[in-house]
Amino acid sequence: MRFLSWNVNGLRACVEKGFLDQFHSLDADFFSLQETKMQPGQLTLDLPGYEQFWYSAEKKGYSGTAVFTKHKPLSVRCGVGVEELDHEGRLITLEYENFYLLTCYTPNAQDGLKRIDFRMRWEDALREYMKQLDAVKPVIYCGDLNVAHEEIDLKNPKTNRGNAGFSDEERGKFSELLAAGFTDTWRFQHPDAAEYSWWSYRFHAREKNVGWRIDYFVVSDRLRDRIRETKIHQEIFGSDHCPVELVIDLSAPIQNLP
């Protein structure tokens, strides 16, 4: 199965920049979006063969997630299950017979780490939620996770140390998540590669490839041997992020935890 994830930084603007052409050419089984910046009814997408699931922030023009899928889920859940964290449209969970798919737009800690406390509460709640799901069946977790985990994951680690997205606190929480039984799929396949999925709109950053890898597919460890391909689609424009891809074999029975 082919999974795509893309922070579109405003879906209506991205549609004007060719989103639908990219969507159809990628032909994914699951296409997850972050930062849709939309309220219900603001855009109608004609996507034959796909079911659409949307989760909007209460604040207009802010955050928001969506999933378009060829496969009807058993259930759909919005939010992480903590009231104070579930007003910004940040997490959609689709349940299937053999796995859960989570689409996430992780809160940005903001300049000066002004929102780091909220971010830490989110990280702890999300990790516990994923562990609960993983105890039932394996998890495929994707999205803009707003963290470059290691120095190899951004162009200028020394000058960004302590900044939002590369603070010790955020990097530590991602390490905690992996230690809880999950795998960063792209890094698993490309242990020494430096490729990026986000570039600032300033200073011609994308043209110079001064970027960060902050968009991920993370899976339960027991799905590692089923990973077939991972890609960062740097050739695709339309946002300050590019899509990331996971191809994984889910055809055979999956061993659940005891």
Side-chain angles (χ1 to χ4, degrees):
M1 285 188 171
R2 174 173 284 109
F3 295 76
L4 265 292
S5 178
W6 193 5
N7 179 321
V8 292
N9 193 10
L11 182 55
R12 287 170 292 173
C14 195
V15 165
E16 294 177 359
K17 299 173 184 177
F19 170 81
L20 289 173
D21 290 338
Q22 301 292 355
F23 175 86
H24 292 300
S25 67
L26 290 165
D27 191 29
D29 291 279
F30 301 87
F31 206 119
S32 298
L33 304 182
Q34 304 86 44
E35 210 170 358
T36 53
K37 295 183 177 180
M38 285 174 43
Q39 297 298 305
Q42 287 189 306
L43 179 69
T44 300
L45 292 177
D46 183 19
L47 305 175
Y50 285 85
E51 294 203 37
Q52 302 183 28
F53 301 97
W54 300 80
Y55 185 30
S56 298
E58 294 176 8
K59 179 181 177 181
K60 292 182 179 180
Y62 179 71
S63 188
T65 47
V67 186
F68 310 140
T69 175
K70 296 178 180 180
H71 306 275
K72 183 179 179 63
L74 299 176
S75 67
V76 181
R77 176 177 175 178
C78 293
V80 75
V82 177
E83 197 279 333
E84 69 161 322
L85 303 176
D86 285 341
H87 297 273
E88 298 180 353
R90 294 192 176 274
L91 186 74
I92 302 174
T93 302
L94 303 188
E95 180 187 4
Y96 291 90
E97 183 178 358
N98 292 326
F99 68 96
Y100 293 98
L101 172 64
L102 278 62
T103 297
C104 182
Y105 178 39
T106 299
N108 192 308
Q110 299 185 351
D111 290 344
L113 302 182
K114 290 183 294 187
R115 217 180 184 209
I116 193 67
D117 290 344
F118 184 87
R119 170 67 176 265
M120 295 296 99
R121 292 195 296 274
W122 172 271
E123 295 282 2
D124 290 339
L126 189 280
R127 186 178 62 258
E128 289 306 309
Y129 176 62
M130 288 178 62
K131 288 165 62 178
Q132 291 169 16
L133 295 181
D134 188 48
V136 179
K137 52 185 122 177
V139 172
I140 298 172
Y141 167 54
C142 71
D144 173 3
L145 306 189
N146 261 319
V147 62
H149 184 217
E150 303 290 357
E151 290 191 355
I152 196 174
D153 292 317
L154 72 167
K155 183 69 172 181
N156 295 315
K158 291 182 180 178
T159 55
N160 281 291
R161 177 76 183 272
N163 289 341
F166 198 59
S167 67
D168 292 347
E169 296 94 328
E170 293 162 299
R171 295 170 66 195
K173 290 299 182 185
F174 194 79
S175 293
E176 285 186 53
L177 176 64
L178 298 184
F182 299 95
T183 296
D184 173 355
T185 61
W186 195 86
R187 185 56 66 204
F188 179 70
Q189 281 209 316
H190 308 275
D192 302 314
E195 292 188 27
Y196 311 124
S197 64
W198 174 78
W199 304 261
S200 170
Y201 279 134
R202 298 181 296 172
F203 310 122
H204 304 284
R206 189 160 188 174
E207 180 182 325
K208 299 174 183 176
N209 199 27
V210 179
W212 300 49
R213 187 176 74 96
I214 59 176
D215 300 270
Y216 295 80
F217 275 94
V218 171
V219 301
S220 297
D221 285 347
R222 61 193 184 280
L223 295 181
R224 277 183 182 180
D225 63 352
R226 295 168 177 266
I227 299 168
R228 297 294 176 260
E229 190 173 19
T230 54
K231 290 183 180 178
I232 299 176
H233 285 280
Q234 296 184 344
E235 77 282 3
I236 294 179
F237 290 78
S239 169
D240 52 349
H241 296 248
C242 72
V244 295
E245 177 177 345
L246 169 68
V247 179
I248 189 166
D249 181 3
L250 299 172
S251 59
I254 299 171
Q255 178 66 45
N256 287 327
L257 293 176

